[in-house]
Amino acid sequence: MKTKKYFLSVAIMLTGMMLVLVSCKKNLPDNRLSIANDSQYTQFLYQPTLGRNTLFTNNFTYGNSSRPLDFKIVNMRTFGGEPAPELTKLYPVKVWKTAYDGTEKSLAEIEAKRVIENHPLFEVRPHSGEFLMWAEANSNMIKAQPDSGYVFDVEMSNTGGRKYFQNFRLSPLRERPYEPSPLDPITGQGTSTSVSPAGLFITGTRTNQFLSSSDVAVVFNKLPKGLPGYSGHSISFKFIDTLAQVIDPNKFALTDWGNLVHGFNMIKDATKVKFDVAYPIPLTAYPTKYTTTDGGAARVVFRFDRQAFGAVLLHCYLALNFKIYEEGDWEIIFQFKNDKPKFDND
């Protein structure tokens, strides 16, 4: 009898404890996300260069806010407080849907990796807070410096609440269709007509001295649309001596023409070498055999060997690191200003 009472008492006690635990669980607060005061933007002025994709990263600290967070631009306006529909409307932009890696075998294969989507020309990444200006934005539609530009706010939210960041400044710089560029980013006017090569190891014919980078003027020239033999998406390289006479590209006999740029349908004659290419150049910042080691620019190197006095073999070259953002038929002209390059042996 005592045994039965003991087990009955234990059962009643356990039942009571379970009821208490269930009651406590019901009274626990919901596991809600939170918005913390230490979540902050670290940059409030943005100056993208128009005509190219510009992504602003590492501009937000999450602090103790719970993730995921959602971001959206609100109250986009001109500096004077007027509506800015040019930055709130959707426009068709070109977006990578498959990663570019530099091994593509044709323009069609490259273009198959890109699609057209509709986006605002300036937008915030919805879960990171990063800002992106699309390459399709240009100074014909977007206010650029020296104009004061735009002001906007950002709403950050999750299920725990929302927070607003106010009075960001968007002050775009004018297009520079290529780099290195002599164009002023505010006025859009050229400070010179040419730039210098990235590297040069060539002897001059007249002086028999090594030329310096300042002895070569590099000119970027965009050809008119519709010229016979041009596709609308090509790049050509030309060489000119001090008398404005064309130098045969074949003089640069050790150039790896097949891997000079990520281009196709190469045509090389006595006046130029031309490729069909996709734009921009480089297509992304991914390092390939056609770019600098960091992938930030395309790199071309024109090479030849010659024997100097004393049977010294010189590995001569002319190099350029460059970017082109605007689609078209571009030619890059290397003009030797002060002395002709020496190709023959001594």
Side-chain angles (χ1 to χ4, degrees):
M1 188 68 177
K2 289 182 179 180
T3 302
K4 289 183 179 180
K5 287 182 178 180
Y6 171 77
F7 283 111
L8 181 60
S9 298
V10 171
I12 292 172
M13 182 178 67
L14 291 174
T15 301
M17 291 174 64
M18 292 177 65
L19 290 172
V20 170
L21 289 172
V22 170
S23 175
C24 290
K25 187 175 182 179
K26 286 182 179 179
N27 292 326
L28 287 174
D30 293 339
N31 185 21
R32 295 176 63 85
L33 301 178
S34 64
I35 295 288
N37 289 330
D38 61 353
S39 297
Q40 296 289 339
Y41 273 93
T42 58
Q43 181 180 348
F44 279 78
L45 173 62
Y46 295 88
Q47 300 182 86
T49 299
L50 296 175
R52 61 185 76 173
N53 288 342
T54 305
L55 178 64
F56 296 94
T57 61
N58 302 316
N59 59 333
F60 183 79
T61 56
Y62 288 92
N64 292 312
S65 289
S66 303
R67 305 186 204 183
L69 291 168
D70 297 311
F71 296 84
K72 67 178 180 179
I73 292 175
V74 295
N75 196 22
M76 176 65 76
R77 58 208 185 270
T78 68
F79 186 77
E82 298 297 321
E86 65 271 27
L87 287 173
T88 57
K89 292 180 180 179
L90 300 181
Y91 293 86
V93 300
K94 193 171 285 189
V95 179
W96 291 98
K97 68 174 184 179
T98 305
Y100 167 81
D101 61 14
T103 63
E104 294 80 3
K105 303 300 183 184
S106 67
L107 288 180
E109 186 178 346
I110 291 174
E111 293 306 328
K113 294 187 171 186
R114 300 195 281 192
V115 296
I116 300 297
E117 295 180 355
N118 291 320
H119 289 260
L121 293 177
F122 182 74
E123 64 181 352
V124 63
R125 290 283 175 88
H127 301 299
S128 70
E130 299 171 339
F131 295 110
L132 172 63
M133 177 68 87
W134 290 97
E136 285 72 11
N138 62 67
S139 56
N140 292 326
M141 63 174 78
I142 302 297
K143 295 179 183 298
Q145 296 187 34
D147 190 280
S148 298
Y150 304 90
V151 181
F152 64 96
D153 307 322
V154 172
E155 177 189 279
M156 179 186 76
S157 64
N158 57 26
T159 58
R162 63 191 67 243
K163 182 177 181 179
Y164 290 91
F165 303 93
Q166 296 181 313
N167 297 325
F168 290 84
R169 290 288 307 279
L170 174 62
S171 188
L173 298 167
R174 294 184 180 276
E175 299 94 325
R176 294 195 302 277
Y178 56 86
E179 298 285 357
S181 174
L183 299 180
D184 185 276
I186 295 177
T187 66
Q189 301 300 309
T191 55
S192 68
T193 58
S194 64
V195 297
S196 297
L200 181 68
F201 186 70
I202 292 177
T203 305
T205 301
R206 177 176 56 82
T207 64
N208 206 36
Q209 301 294 315
F210 290 111
L211 303 177
S212 69
S213 293
S214 61
D215 290 318
V216 179
V218 183
V219 177
F220 290 75
N221 181 40
K222 188 177 182 182
L223 299 173
K225 291 183 179 180
L227 291 180
Y230 289 85
S231 61
H233 44 83
S234 70
I235 188 168
S236 303
F237 299 95
K238 294 183 176 181
F239 308 89
I240 297 177
D241 67 17
T242 56
L243 301 176
Q245 299 297 310
V246 174
I247 299 171
D248 188 340
N250 289 299
K251 292 282 189 179
F252 297 88
L254 295 183
T255 301
D256 185 3
W257 298 108
N259 294 303
L260 187 67
V261 296
H262 195 182
F264 311 96
N265 306 319
M266 183 184 77
I267 296 175
K268 180 161 61 71
D269 55 31
T271 64
K272 67 182 181 302
V273 56
K274 181 171 75 72
F275 303 84
D276 288 337
V277 293
Y279 283 97
I281 298 175
L283 282 160
T284 69
Y286 183 79
T288 69
K289 60 185 176 182
Y290 311 107
T291 70
T292 53
T293 54
D294 64 355
R299 179 172 175 82
V300 291
V301 184
F302 306 94
R303 304 179 186 275
F304 66 93
D305 283 354
R306 59 176 293 271
Q307 187 170 295
F309 287 111
V312 176
L313 182 63
L314 299 179
H315 301 295
C316 304
Y317 67 88
L318 168 63
L320 178 69
N321 302 338
F322 71 99
K323 311 173 191 179
I324 301 180
Y325 297 98
E326 190 175 284
E327 184 174 298
D329 292 306
W330 286 88
E331 57 181 14
I332 298 180
I333 303 169
F334 299 89
Q335 181 175 10
F336 291 83
K337 299 185 296 181
N338 302 315
D339 202 351
K340 295 181 181 180
K342 190 171 189 178
F343 294 99
D344 297 332
N345 296 330
D346 291 333

